[in-house]
Each structure stands twice: as C-alpha cells, then as structure tokens.
C-alpha cells in the first residue's frame, strides 16, 4: 500500500554529520529493540496457557496443533512479508504489525469465555479451531517484526560491526519473551478479578493474553516515534559511505528498491549457502522451541507448580542475553565475520545441557534448582546460533534483499523447525511415547544443525 512506501532520500545535511548520525543510530536502535521485544510479549503466550487449558480436557496433541498454527503463520509471514518489508518504510511497517498482533492476542480469550467452555465442554472442537485461527493471526502479524528490524540494522550498521550490534539487538526477544512468564503470573493476580470476578479458573486469561496485549499496543506507538527507515531519508550518507565499510557484494544498486522477482530469483533461491543455513535453522528452532514451549507442561507433569515453571521460562529467556552478546562478539572479533563456527560450537554446548536436563528430569525427586540451571544453560547457548543464522542471511544478500533472505531462513526455522517438529511432533511424541523420546529427538536435532552448518564453513566469506 502506498502509505507504506519507503521515504524519499533528502538532500545531504550540512554541519555535524557525525553527531547527527551517532544520535540517530542510537535512537533507531532503541526503537528497533523495544519494538521487537514487544512482539515477543504477544507471541508465544499460548504455551504459558497450555497447562491451564488442559483443565478443559483438551489433549496435548490438540493444543500442539493450535500452537503450531502460530509457527506456520509466522514462517509464511516472515518470508512473504519480508519481501514486502524490503519495499516498505520500516518506521510504519513495524508498529502496524505490532498493533495488529496485540489486537489478535487480546481476542485469544474468546475461545474460553465467548464459547463458555466451562459450562459447555462439548464445544471443545470449536474452541480448538478458534484457538488455531487466532494463533495463526498472532503468528502472521508477528512475522511483520523481524524483517523491518533487519532492514533497519542493515541500513544503519555496516557489515563489520553488524554481528556485535545485532547480538545486542537480538536480546530484545529474550527481554520480551522472558516477561511472558512473570506477566502471566502477576497479571492474573492484578487483573484477574477485574475481568472475571470470582471465577478464578479464568484469571489466567487476563495475565496471559490481555495484560501483554495492552502493553505491546502502547510500545508500538513509542516505536513509531523512535524509528527511521534509512540514513538517506534523514539527509545522511549511506552507512557504507559513512564508515567506509563496503562489503564485497555492495553496489550502488544496493540502495535501490528491487523488483520482487529479482529479490527471490537472483538473491535468495539461487544462493546455495542460504539453503544450508536455512535447513540448519530448522533444527536449531526445533531445539529452541522444543525446550521453551513445552517447559511449563513438562514441569507441571513432574509436579512442579506453574509459578515455578513460569520462572524457569523466565530464566531460559534471560540467560540468553549474555550468551547472545558473547556469540556475536566472538563472530566479529575472533572469527572476523564468519558465523558458521561459532554456531557449531554453541550448538555442541546446547546438546550437553540437554543431556543434563534429561538426567535431572528423570531423577526420582526432580530438583527444580538443577532443572532451572539446565534451562539457563540451554538458553545461554541456543540464542547465539538463532541470532547468527539471521546475521548470516543478511551477510549473504545485498541489503535491499536482506529482509527476504532472513525471511527465507526464518521460514525453515518456524515452519519446519517450530510448527512441525517442535510443536506438533513433540506434542504427539510426548502423548504417545513420553518425554524421554522427546529429549532424544532434541539431541538428534542438535547434531543435524551442526552437520548442515559445517557445509558452509570456509565458503560463507567468499
């Protein structure tokens, strides 16, 4: 739509370009950080609701299908909307997606309250269908978050510094995602009676859906005030010219808006390395969400209360912050912009912590402390590869096709890795074969992610 078109380049400003550039880079970075964090406040909330939804006699398999709809939509949206984002104003595109995601999340209360599932359990089938549809909408609108941020990061930060800056920015989803557990717990306490009176069985809806939706809506407005699409629209030189940092695939055409066909056929589908990292990404995401989405349910099955499970969820997300930053700095400073080997090293360490988690889970008297430390270890190491694969995608394509390239790898991560493997398959296997089989699958996924990433070693820089 025309109102989303990228802003026109303005005449070069005179005076203190360095000061203006530095101030705007920080402003844009903060806007992208809080905006992307807010997407995760209204993203995977359904996984926190699963233990309470089980009280309505809904099976894990059915809940896994509804949860998977979110990942399917996100995968398609991140890929398809990535190409739209490459041709749009990031300042408008990101807040629009966040507002729509917030509205869809608020409506997640409807399958329970609107259908009165407490008094009409025969409506479970309709409720699951509605949950899946709403989860699909939440996932689709969430897919409008990463591509504009990728666009902003490639326009405001050059390739030699991008790994470090993006490692810090990538922590946004840990900040947002980590708040989901505490917001669900305390939101139910603070606002449950306000919405549902004495019906305590429904209090979780206020904390899991309504409170995060209202918060994200307000952040969308703030993100719009902070973001700017590209330096040239502010009367500044391109980031490559400003820092004298031109990548090998840079040309003047990198500043132009490309036709959709050229983006897909020339810069994405024909890039063999993008295919390798996309497949690796599928297995990385299987591990990421196989551990995260099912953590509240797994711990509840072991008799650990939902409040403690929520804090384990929090620990998993926030442990990722130092791990992600360290991974990004290592890729820039030690491996000089090569992203494959840091990913291989971190995924190896993830596999070790999954093995320890498996052991702790099967103890006759499971130690919550040990389990939380395992979650911290997995979270610390898994998000570095999640971030670096996205950075690799940006590095392997010109910046005017960066959103589509990242969306392509994201599609594999969310459609195959999350929806099919982490959400649906894990739900089915947990129901039919138990959690031991799930842990075994997660270890195999770690190995496969390493194998496909190794196929890019030594070739990505060329």
């Amino acid at each position: 739509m025309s109102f989303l078109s990228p802003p026109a380049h303005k005449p070069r400003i005179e005076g203190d370009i360095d000061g203006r550039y530095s101030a705007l880079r920080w402003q844009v970075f903060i806007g992208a950080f809080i905006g992307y964090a807010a997407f995760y406040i209204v993203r995977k909330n359904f996984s926190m609701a699963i233990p309470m939804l089980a009280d309505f006699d809904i099976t894990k398999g059915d809940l896994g299908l509804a949860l998977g709809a979110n990942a399917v939509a996100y995968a398609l949206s991140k890929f398809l909307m990535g190409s739209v984002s490459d041709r749009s104003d990031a300042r408008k595109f990101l807040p629009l997606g966040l507002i729509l995601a917030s509205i869809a999340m608020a409506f997640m209360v409807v399958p329970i309250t609107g259908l009165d599932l407490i008094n009409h359990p025969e409506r479970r089938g309709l409720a699951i269908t509605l949950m899946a549809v709403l989860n699909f909408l939440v996932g689709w609108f969430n897919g409008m978050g990463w591509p504009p941020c990728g666009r902003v990061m490639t326009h405001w930060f050059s390739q030699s510094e991008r790994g470090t800056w993006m490692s810090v920015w990538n922590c946004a989803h840990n900040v947002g995602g980590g708040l989901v557990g505490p917001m669900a717990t305390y939101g139910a306490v603070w606002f449950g009676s306000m919405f549902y009176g004495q019906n305590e069985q429904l209090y979780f809806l206020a904390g899991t859906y309504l409170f995060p939706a209202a918060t994200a809506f307000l952040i969308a407005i703030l993100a719009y005030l902070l973001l700017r699409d590209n330096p040239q629209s502010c009367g500044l030189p391109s980031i490559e010219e400003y820092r004298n940092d031109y990548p090998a695939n840079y040309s003047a055409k990198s500043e132009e808006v490309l036709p959709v066909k050229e983006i897909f056929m020339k810069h994405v589908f024909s890039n063999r390395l993008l295919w390798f990292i996309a497949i690796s990404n599928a297995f990385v995401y299987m591990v990421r969400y196989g551990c995260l989405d099912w953590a509240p349910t797994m711990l509840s099955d072991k008799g650990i209360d939902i409040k403690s499970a929520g804090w384990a969820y929090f620990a998993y997300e926030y442990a990722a912050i130092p791990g992600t930053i360290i991974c990004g700095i290592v890729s820039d400073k030690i491996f000089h912009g090569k992203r494959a080997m840091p990913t291989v090293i971190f995924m190896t360490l993830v596999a070790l912590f999954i093995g320890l988690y498996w052991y702790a889970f099967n103890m006759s008297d499971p130690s919550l402390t040990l389990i939380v430390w395992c979650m911290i270890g997995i979270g610390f190491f898994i998000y570095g590869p999640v971030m670096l694969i996205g950075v690799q995608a940006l590095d392997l394509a010109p910046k005017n096709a960066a959103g589509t390239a990242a969306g392509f790898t994201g599609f594999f991560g969310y459609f195959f890795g999350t929806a099919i493997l982490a959400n649906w398959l894990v739900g089915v296997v947990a129901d039919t074969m138990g959690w031991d089989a799930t842990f075994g699958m997660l270890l195999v996924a770690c190995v496969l992610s390493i194998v496909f990433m190794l196929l890019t070693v030594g070739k990505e820089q060329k």
Side-chain angles (χ1 to χ4, degrees), residues 366-377:
S367 167
L368 177 62
T369 301
L370 181 56
I371 288 175
V372 169
W373 275 109
C374 291
M375 294 284 285
I376 289 172

Side-chain angles (χ1 to χ4, degrees), residues 22-38 94 149 152-153 157 165 169 172 219 222-227:
S22 178
L24 275 177
R25 269 163 50 107
W26 277 107
Q27 177 182 316
V28 167
F29 181 82
I30 293 170
F33 189 96
I34 65 169
Y36 197 56
L94 184 148
C149 289
V152 163
M153 297 302 289
F157 302 94
W165 279 96
W169 167 78
I219 294 175
L222 181 57
Y224 174 79
L225 297 175
L226 293 172
L227 286 170

Side-chain angles (χ1 to χ4, degrees), residues 146-169:
W146 205 106
C149 289
R151 175 181 173 86
V152 163
M153 297 302 289
T154 55
H155 277 281
W156 287 93
F157 302 94
S158 65
Q159 184 166 328
S160 65
E161 62 177 349
R162 197 175 296 149
T164 301
W165 279 96
M166 286 202 68
S167 69
V168 179
W169 167 78

Side-chain angles (χ1 to χ4, degrees), residues 144-409:
M144 297 173 67
W146 205 106
C149 289
R151 175 181 173 86
V152 163
M153 297 302 289
T154 55
H155 277 281
W156 287 93
F157 302 94
S158 65
Q159 184 166 328
S160 65
E161 62 177 349
R162 197 175 296 149
T164 301
W165 279 96
M166 286 202 68
S167 69
V168 179
W169 167 78
N170 200 69
C171 296
H173 64 62
N174 305 114
V175 173
L179 289 173
V180 171
M183 288 181 83
T185 301
Y186 293 105
V189 174
W190 296 336
F191 305 109
S193 60
M194 180 188 303
F195 286 99
Y196 301 110
Q198 300 301 312
N199 195 344
E200 295 184 7
Q201 191 177 1
L202 298 179
Y203 282 11
F204 77 96
L205 297 174
T208 306
Y209 300 135
L210 299 178
F211 179 33
T215 303
F217 193 99
L218 295 175
I219 294 175
I221 298 172
L222 181 57
Y224 174 79
L225 297 175
L226 293 172
L227 286 170
R228 297 295 183 273
D229 186 73
N230 61 69
Q232 295 93 317
S233 68
C234 301
L236 297 169
S238 70
I239 187 62
E240 290 80 11
E241 178 184 345
Y242 174 68
R243 298 193 76 245
N244 192 28
D245 184 9
Y246 294 90
N249 62 351
Y250 180 83
S251 69
K253 194 174 182 180
S254 296
E255 305 298 337
E256 301 174 4
V257 177
L258 296 178
V260 172
K261 182 178 180 180
E262 182 175 346
I263 291 174
F264 281 103
M265 303 309 298
K266 184 177 180 180
H267 299 296
V268 177
F269 291 149
S270 61
N271 191 326
R272 183 177 60 176
L273 296 185
L274 273 179
W275 283 92
F276 288 152
I277 68 172
I279 296 172
S280 177
N281 202 35
F283 294 112
V284 169
Y285 270 70
M286 178 186 178
V287 176
R288 174 189 178 186
Y289 284 118
C291 291
L292 182 64
D293 285 348
W294 292 100
T297 306
M298 292 172 71
L299 299 183
S300 295
D301 283 356
K302 276 292 182 178
I304 297 172
D305 67 275
I306 189 61
K307 186 174 181 179
S308 298
W311 283 110
Y313 197 100
F314 174 88
Y316 180 96
E317 289 282 4
Y318 274 75
I321 294 175
T324 303
I325 294 173
I326 289 171
C327 191
I329 293 173
V330 165
S331 74
D332 275 348
K333 305 300 183 182
I334 298 178
F335 291 94
H336 307 293
K338 296 178 181 178
R339 319 297 181 186
M341 281 310 300
T343 298
V344 169
I345 293 169
F346 273 55
M347 286 307 298
T348 301
L349 294 170
V350 168
L352 293 176
F353 273 97
I354 288 176
L356 182 59
Y357 185 12
W358 191 355
Y359 167 77
F361 187 79
N362 282 325
M363 293 172 63
S364 57
D365 183 17
S367 167
L368 177 62
T369 301
L370 181 56
I371 288 175
V372 169
W373 275 109
C374 291
M375 294 284 285
I376 289 172
I378 297 169
F380 185 94
F381 290 109
I382 191 65
Y383 281 97
V386 168
M387 178 271 300
L388 278 187
I389 290 175
V391 177
Q392 258 186 306
L394 299 179
D395 291 345
L396 292 171
K399 64 181 181 179
N400 50 5
T404 309
F408 179 68
T409 60

Side-chain angles (χ1 to χ4, degrees), residues 46-48 50-51 59-65 67-68 286 288-301 309 313 357 361 375 418-419 421-431 435 438 442:
F46 188 72
S47 60
M48 280 302 302
I50 285 177
T59 67
K60 293 185 181 71
D62 286 339
L63 292 169
L65 284 173
L67 182 63
M286 178 186 178
R288 174 189 178 186
Y289 284 118
C291 291
L292 182 64
D293 285 348
W294 292 100
T297 306
M298 292 172 71
L299 299 183
S300 295
D301 283 356
Y313 197 100
Y357 185 12
F361 187 79
M375 294 284 285
T418 307
L421 298 176
N423 293 160
W424 175 75
L425 185 60
V426 168
V428 171
V429 170
D431 262 340
W435 294 115
T438 300
L442 295 176

Side-chain angles (χ1 to χ4, degrees), residues 105-119:
M105 181 58 69
F107 273 89
M108 287 292 292
V109 303
V110 173
I112 303 298
T113 59
L115 296 178
D116 192 14
L117 208 57
I118 294 177
N119 297 314

